[in-house]
């Protein structure tokens, strides 16, 4: 699926093998996130870009997620400009939670999307 020139995907197409990058802020992440996602807040993204390049699969896609899809679209566009195969997750963590996907608080409990 494409939205303009930006590749997009729905949460239903993601698997546990996919590399997920969560760009929400710290309070949003702490409230609830997808298990195994890499958290790099959009506000710190450029400064912490190296963390992504170290963690991301060398020749795989980076699926970028936020709360609803706006911030992740901006970050995915930036990554594409850097030569990374990035895809925006449509609907973000709200769609993830609505689809019944697990949301973790990082402490073994059930999280919430705020």
């Amino acid at each position: 699926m494409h939205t303009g020139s930006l590749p997009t995907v729905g949460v239903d197409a993601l698997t546990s093998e996919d590399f997920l990058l969560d760009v929400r802020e710290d309070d949003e992440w702490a409230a609830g996130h997808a298990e195994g996602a890499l958290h790099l807040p959009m506000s710190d993204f450029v400064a912490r870009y190296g963390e992504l390049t170290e963690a991301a699969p060398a020749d795989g896609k980076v699926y970028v997620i936020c709360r609803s899809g706006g911030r992740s679209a901006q970050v995915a566009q930036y990554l594409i400009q850097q030569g990374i195969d990035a895809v925006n997750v449509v609907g973000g963590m709200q769609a993830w939670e609505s689809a019944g996907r697990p949301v973790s608080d990082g402490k073994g409990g059930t999280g919430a999307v705020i």
Side-chain angles (χ1 to χ4, degrees):
M1 186 187 321
H2 273 68
T3 306
S5 62
L6 184 66
T8 60
V9 68
V11 295
D12 55 332
L14 295 172
T15 72
S16 59
E17 306 302 311
D18 290 325
F19 184 85
L20 196 61
L21 171 65
D22 190 323
V23 297
R24 296 174 302 146
E25 296 305 312
D26 291 336
D27 60 330
E28 295 172 286
W29 170 264
H33 56 269
E35 202 68 53
L38 174 65
H39 178 229
L40 289 177
M42 185 172 167
S43 59
D44 295 340
F45 191 77
V46 174
R48 295 177 60 190
Y49 180 72
E51 293 176 46
L52 170 67
T53 57
E54 286 177 25
D59 50 0
K61 290 185 187 305
V62 173
Y63 294 90
V64 189
I65 197 166
C66 66
R67 186 173 64 85
S68 61
R71 288 172 287 178
S72 56
Q74 293 176 49
V75 172
Q77 192 67 53
Y78 173 81
L79 291 174
I80 289 166
Q81 290 168 354
Q82 306 309 307
I84 292 177
D85 190 2
V87 181
N88 186 37
V89 179
V90 177
M93 284 301 295
Q94 291 176 324
W96 180 278
E97 187 176 47
S98 295
R101 297 275 183 130
V103 177
S104 169
D105 66 1
K107 301 176 186 125
T110 300
V113 176
I114 62 170

